[in-house]
């Protein structure tokens, strides 16, 4: 997701009465790092980065195939 869009979404969330606590990502750290830098909800709220299980599965599968190929 575009960095500016993520920051806008997170900033708008408080105006409707809730806060995001986790960012579901596909491995892209730019949005997560930008949110941590902007400190959207203040320093008391920690933001966690969650990875999509499909992205993890894809990376693990690629690593296993490469290991078998090298072996």
């Amino acid at each position: 997701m575009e960095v500016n869009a993520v920051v806008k979404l997170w900033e708008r969330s408080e105006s409707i009465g809730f806060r995001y606590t986790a960012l579901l990502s596909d491995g892209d750290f730019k949005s997560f790092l930008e949110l941590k830098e902007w400190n959207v909800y203040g320093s008391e709220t920690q933001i966690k980065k969650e990875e999509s299980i499909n992205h993890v599965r894809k990376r693990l599968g690629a690593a296993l195939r490469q290991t078998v190929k090298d072996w």
Side-chain angles (χ1 to χ4, degrees), residues 14 19-21 39-47:
E14 279 195 304
R19 291 181 172 186
Y20 295 106
T21 58
N39 216 5
V40 178
Y41 300 136
S43 60
E44 71 277 355
T45 304
Q46 295 293 322
I47 299 171

Side-chain angles (χ1 to χ4, degrees), residues 19-68:
R19 291 181 172 186
Y20 295 106
T21 58
L23 175 68
L24 180 61
S25 183
D26 62 353
D28 182 21
F29 280 96
K30 291 180 211 168
S31 299
F32 179 67
L33 293 175
E34 190 70 21
L35 283 171
K36 287 190 79 88
E37 183 180 313
W38 271 72
N39 216 5
V40 178
Y41 300 136
S43 60
E44 71 277 355
T45 304
Q46 295 293 322
I47 299 171
K48 296 184 291 186
K49 182 179 183 290
E50 307 270 336
E51 291 219 28
S52 167
I53 191 68
N54 289 329
H55 181 69
V56 172
R57 179 189 53 82
K58 180 180 165 185
R59 285 192 334 211
L60 181 59
L64 288 173
R65 283 190 296 280
Q66 185 62 42
T67 300
V68 168

